[in-house]
Amino acid sequence: MQEATGMMFRTNLDENAGMIFPLPYPQRAAFWMTNCPLPLTAAYIDPQGEILEIHELHANDSSSVFSDAPNIYYVLEVNQGWFARHHIETGTIIRTEKGTLGETFIRSTQ
């Protein structure tokens, strides 16, 4: 349920917190801010974990923010301006403590 709700209805977000959305397949992503009172920034990320686009999302805006790229596989939402404050730009590769985003979100069959 949290994935479907995303950041809706949240009134605060710690500086280094966010939410990542693994999409079911690479696609032209579209995110919106219905019922989200916090302004956010979203990174649109390709299957290899590279940030292709960074978009500002405005509080309570129901307009979809589409990616230009057709192969977005992950979307990372953080506090508005977080990427700029941390000098993270397009071209940056995102990894987690478990490795690549693919290694993090693909379940092992073992």
Side-chain angles (χ1 to χ4, degrees), residues 7 12-19 40 76-79 82:
M7 297 289 214
N12 65 339
L13 182 64
D14 290 341
E15 172 62 14
N16 291 316
M19 182 173 280
L40 301 172
L76 175 59
E77 291 182 339
V78 295
N79 283 307
W82 187 92

Side-chain angles (χ1 to χ4, degrees), residues 21 23 29-33 42 44 57 61 63-66 75 77:
F21 298 86
L23 303 177
F31 272 60
W32 58 91
M33 297 287 287
Y44 289 10
L57 303 176
D61 186 352
S63 303
S64 294
V65 177
F66 288 93
V75 177
E77 291 182 339

Side-chain angles (χ1 to χ4, degrees), residues 30-97:
F31 272 60
W32 58 91
M33 297 287 287
T34 300
N35 298 318
C36 185
L38 294 175
L40 301 172
T41 303
Y44 289 10
I45 304 167
D46 76 3
Q48 289 71 44
E50 180 180 349
I51 296 176
L52 298 183
E53 304 172 29
I54 297 175
H55 294 276
E56 300 302 321
L57 303 176
H58 304 286
N60 294 309
D61 186 352
S62 61
S63 303
S64 294
V65 177
F66 288 93
S67 65
D68 291 326
N71 64 329
I72 302 303
Y73 204 26
Y74 307 96
V75 177
L76 175 59
E77 291 182 339
V78 295
N79 283 307
Q80 193 167 69
W82 187 92
F83 293 109
R85 286 192 298 280
H86 294 273
H87 309 287
I88 296 172
E89 303 173 337
T90 56
T92 300
I93 303 295
I94 303 297
R95 295 177 57 89
T96 72
E97 66 278 355

Side-chain angles (χ1 to χ4, degrees), residues 103 105-110:
E103 292 167 337
F105 291 104
I106 295 176
R107 294 184 178 174
S108 171
T109 57
Q110 299 176 3

